[in-house]
Amino acid sequence: MIEVIDDFLPSNQFERISDNLMGKDFPWYWNHYVNVSGEQHEHGQFTHNFFNYLDDNPWGSMWGECLEDLIDSFTWKDLVRIKANLIPRTVNNIVSGYHIDQQFPHKVGILYINTNNGSTIFENGDKIDCVANRMVFFDGNMRHSSVTATDQYNRVVINFNYT
């Protein structure tokens, strides 16, 4: 089941997150791949890891504080990973490849930071358009893929994995 919630965060909380991620000082790190398969595609993406339970220092990013209100508003059983993804604009919409985020039972939340003509598509045919401050929740065993944007400079999301 897929749950979509528009205007997910109060505007002041969303603007704080968006202003940070879209700001000139936010640190992004280049990856030649877009999904966990590590399979190289026609494009890559920039990422920022806020949290990863597998790391020695799970909160490895000093930028995690911009997500505090969001994280505090949830009843997470256990956070697994929080990662921001920035995929630069492409000439044509490109499907990045179907995948699951983790190899164990988990849930996924995707918060869309900017509105663009990219999307998240699912192997079952469902499609979620990228709309700023939209959150989508789904079971982590649902194979999904990002689709690049052609009408904005980039497609920016925050991906949450949790149990």
Side-chain angles (χ1 to χ4, degrees), residues 25-74:
D25 295 324
F26 191 78
W28 291 100
Y29 304 93
W30 179 250
N31 291 273
H32 293 287
Y33 54 89
V34 176
N35 61 52
V36 294
S37 72
E39 180 181 331
Q40 184 132 3
H41 293 277
E42 301 170 39
H43 66 286
Q45 70 178 349
F46 291 93
T47 62
H48 183 93
N49 288 312
F50 289 102
F51 176 85
N52 189 332
Y53 83 105
L54 293 174
D55 291 345
D56 291 336
N57 178 14
W59 284 102
S61 171
M62 67 180 210
W63 292 84
E65 66 187 40
C66 75
L67 303 179
E68 283 177 349
D69 291 337
L70 171 59
I71 293 165
D72 290 345
S73 69
F74 276 93

Side-chain angles (χ1 to χ4, degrees), residues 109-123:
I110 298 175
L111 178 64
Y112 298 92
I113 302 301
N114 65 331
T115 299
N116 58 73
N117 70 350
S119 61
T120 301
I121 58 173
F122 294 84
E123 210 167 42

Side-chain angles (χ1 to χ4, degrees), residues 22-155:
M22 303 299 273
K24 65 180 181 61
D25 295 324
F26 191 78
W28 291 100
Y29 304 93
W30 179 250
N31 291 273
H32 293 287
Y33 54 89
V34 176
N35 61 52
V36 294
S37 72
E39 180 181 331
Q40 184 132 3
H41 293 277
E42 301 170 39
H43 66 286
Q45 70 178 349
F46 291 93
T47 62
H48 183 93
N49 288 312
F50 289 102
F51 176 85
N52 189 332
Y53 83 105
L54 293 174
D55 291 345
D56 291 336
N57 178 14
W59 284 102
S61 171
M62 67 180 210
W63 292 84
E65 66 187 40
C66 75
L67 303 179
E68 283 177 349
D69 291 337
L70 171 59
I71 293 165
D72 290 345
S73 69
F74 276 93
T75 308
W76 310 94
K77 181 177 177 190
D78 286 308
L79 277 173
V80 175
R81 183 183 71 178
I82 304 172
K83 180 175 74 110
N85 300 325
L86 182 155
I87 301 177
R89 173 176 51 202
T90 54
V91 174
N92 299 307
N93 294 106
I94 299 172
V95 175
S96 299
Y98 291 105
H99 65 280
I100 59 172
D101 292 352
Q102 306 293 334
Q103 297 301 314
F104 51 82
H106 67 288
K107 304 283 185 196
V108 177
I110 298 175
L111 178 64
Y112 298 92
I113 302 301
N114 65 331
T115 299
N116 58 73
N117 70 350
S119 61
T120 301
I121 58 173
F122 294 84
E123 210 167 42
N124 68 5
D126 288 333
K127 176 184 174 189
I128 310 299
D129 293 326
C130 294
V131 175
N133 202 13
R134 171 176 282 173
M135 183 70 129
V136 60
F137 294 101
F138 56 94
D139 192 277
N141 69 357
M142 294 183 70
R143 291 174 50 82
H144 60 283
S145 177
S146 60
V147 178
T148 63
T150 64
D151 67 335
Q152 298 295 318
Y153 288 115
N154 51 48
R155 173 188 184 271

